[in-house]
Amino acid sequence: MRKSLLRMTFRQLQVFRSVCDNRSYSRAAEEMSLTQPAVSLQIRQLEELLGQPLFDYVGKKLYLTEAAEALQRASEDIFGRLESLDMQLADLQGSLQGQLSLAVESSAKYFMPHLFAAFRREHPEVSLQLTVVNHSQAVRRLSINRDDLLIMSQVPADMSLEFLPFLNNPIIAVAPADHPLSQATSLRLQDLCEWPLLVREPGSGTRRACEEYCNQKRAHFAQLQEVGSMEGQREGVIAGLGLALIPRHAVRRELQLGVLRELPVAELPLLRSWCVVHPRGKYLSPVAQAFFNFVRNERTQIGTLAEQFSGVGNSL
């Protein structure tokens, strides 16, 4: 029989959230500086309150039950409101304080520290919790309202979202400096197809955008080599394993140093816009609202900032 949820403690919710994030009792125990039996006890007490199990094990993997997913959403709302209250009380004292929980798609991680640093110069008492994800993970986090705000390039059309485009995300073709195509003065996308192409994992938004664009242009690469990260993609091109279609932000230093060359492909760059996104109707904390307003009001300066740290043209 389910007991009153008013008996639930914040500590139990903190432990529960850690288990959800880590998908592991032992890793949650390490994160919370608890023993594993203590974590198990807290979860067992929660399950007694709810009258339902929270986790299932399939093989050696831990999965959330429907009850756990519902509790996870509620816990995010509870802690989000407490954090917002903390920020509002600080705001009443005349300063914006608190933490901005921000998730970014992986290729945005190259400019986000610069953008947040510009924001923090106006609000020095704000801290950042930054989570780097691929596109699929970003969509999942939006669906459960996991973050204050999210930075992504391809905003899902089938979700109820508020979004603000603020910076171009040009995808270019790169090759090693000594590659035969690096000496060309003019190329078509089809000219690249005889060479191996290094691509990201299936959940990558950049990979999906490039696949859709290449299909549209009837550019079919004979050989694809999958790598698990943008860094692996970049280093693979440097090593001579193939070409890559990659955001210019991700290879700015290598282009400056001359170890990579941007190929002069007529159909490129493929332009996408970086957007700051949150679920429609979401209550934004004072810190999140301040950051959203900063991005909206400083879009021109953000474009200039991007040019400075990219070393290549990338205005809005």
Side-chain angles (χ1 to χ4, degrees):
M1 180 178 178
R2 185 170 64 83
K3 301 178 182 178
S4 172
L5 297 184
L6 295 177
R7 296 172 60 184
M8 190 182 303
T9 68
F10 286 114
R11 186 58 168 173
Q12 287 171 339
L13 284 178
Q14 287 175 324
V15 171
F16 166 75
R17 294 175 76 201
S18 182
V19 174
C20 290
D21 290 343
N22 290 285
R23 291 295 196 274
S24 166
Y25 279 44
S26 58
R27 287 195 293 270
E30 183 178 351
E31 181 178 85
M32 300 290 295
S33 299
L34 297 170
T35 64
Q36 188 168 334
V39 169
S40 299
L41 177 61
Q42 298 277 16
I43 298 300
R44 189 162 60 250
Q45 290 173 343
L46 269 179
E47 290 176 332
E48 290 175 359
L49 285 172
L50 294 171
Q52 297 187 52
L54 291 170
F55 302 107
D56 287 328
Y57 274 99
V58 179
K60 294 185 178 181
K61 291 187 177 181
L62 181 145
Y63 294 89
L64 276 65
T65 65
E66 289 187 17
E69 290 179 348
L71 181 59
Q72 186 182 39
R73 289 190 294 269
S75 69
E76 295 295 339
D77 183 58
I78 290 168
F79 282 96
R81 287 178 179 272
L82 285 174
E83 185 176 354
S84 178
L85 174 60
D86 190 34
M87 294 177 192
Q88 289 175 19
L89 293 174
D91 195 34
L92 290 174
Q93 294 176 339
S95 65
L96 185 66
Q97 299 177 5
Q99 184 180 77
L100 176 67
S101 174
L102 190 65
V104 303
E105 289 187 347
S106 55
S107 53
K109 67 184 179 183
Y110 298 97
F111 68 81
M112 274 312 305
H114 303 271
L115 179 55
F116 182 74
F119 171 74
R120 195 174 181 187
R121 282 193 286 272
E122 296 186 8
H123 305 288
E125 295 186 69
V126 174
S127 62
L128 175 66
Q129 180 183 28
L130 184 67
T131 304
V132 180
V133 295
N134 65 24
H135 181 77
S136 294
Q137 292 166 334
V139 172
R140 168 63 178 164
R141 294 176 78 91
L142 276 173
S143 71
I144 62 172
N145 195 20
R146 184 69 178 84
D147 310 283
D148 291 332
L149 296 167
L150 200 140
I151 306 295
M152 65 193 313
S153 186
Q154 294 176 282
V155 179
D158 59 347
M159 298 178 68
S160 180
L161 302 171
E162 296 283 352
F163 63 94
L164 173 70
F166 68 92
L167 181 65
N168 277 345
N169 177 29
I171 299 173
I172 63 174
V174 295
D178 58 355
H179 194 279
L181 294 182
S182 293
Q183 310 309 315
T185 57
S186 179
L187 293 167
R188 304 292 298 182
L189 196 56
Q190 287 85 353
D191 297 330
L192 279 56
C193 292
E194 64 180 280
W195 304 94
L197 183 70
L198 306 185
V199 299
R200 290 276 306 281
E201 75 281 1
S204 162
T206 300
R207 174 173 176 172
R208 186 172 70 172
C210 291
E211 287 177 342
E212 291 174 354
Y213 190 65
C214 287
N215 287 334
Q216 177 187 338
K217 297 297 182 180
R218 294 188 173 90
H220 304 294
F221 287 83
Q223 184 180 354
L224 300 179
Q225 298 187 40
E226 187 175 304
V227 293
S229 68
M230 197 162 294
E231 290 77 9
Q233 196 179 18
R234 182 184 63 213
E235 294 303 317
V237 176
I238 294 173
L241 297 179
L243 310 177
L245 300 175
I246 194 168
R248 188 181 276 146
H249 296 299
V251 291
R252 59 187 176 85
R253 290 191 179 90
E254 290 73 20
L255 292 173
Q256 290 173 332
L257 294 172
V259 295
L260 289 179
R261 296 282 176 84
E262 179 176 345
L263 299 179
V265 178
E267 299 93 333
L268 297 175
L270 169 59
L271 292 180
R272 293 290 185 269
S273 292
W274 286 114
C275 302
V276 57
V277 186
H278 65 80
R280 182 167 288 136
K282 175 185 175 73
Y283 173 76
L284 295 182
S285 70
V287 166
Q289 187 65 64
F291 185 79
F292 191 93
N293 294 343
F294 173 81
V295 171
R296 181 180 56 205
N297 297 333
E298 304 295 333
R299 278 181 286 182
T300 301
Q301 287 75 9
I302 290 170
T304 302
L305 178 66
E307 289 182 1
Q308 292 174 352
F309 71 73
S310 294
V312 289
N314 183 34
S315 60
L316 289 171

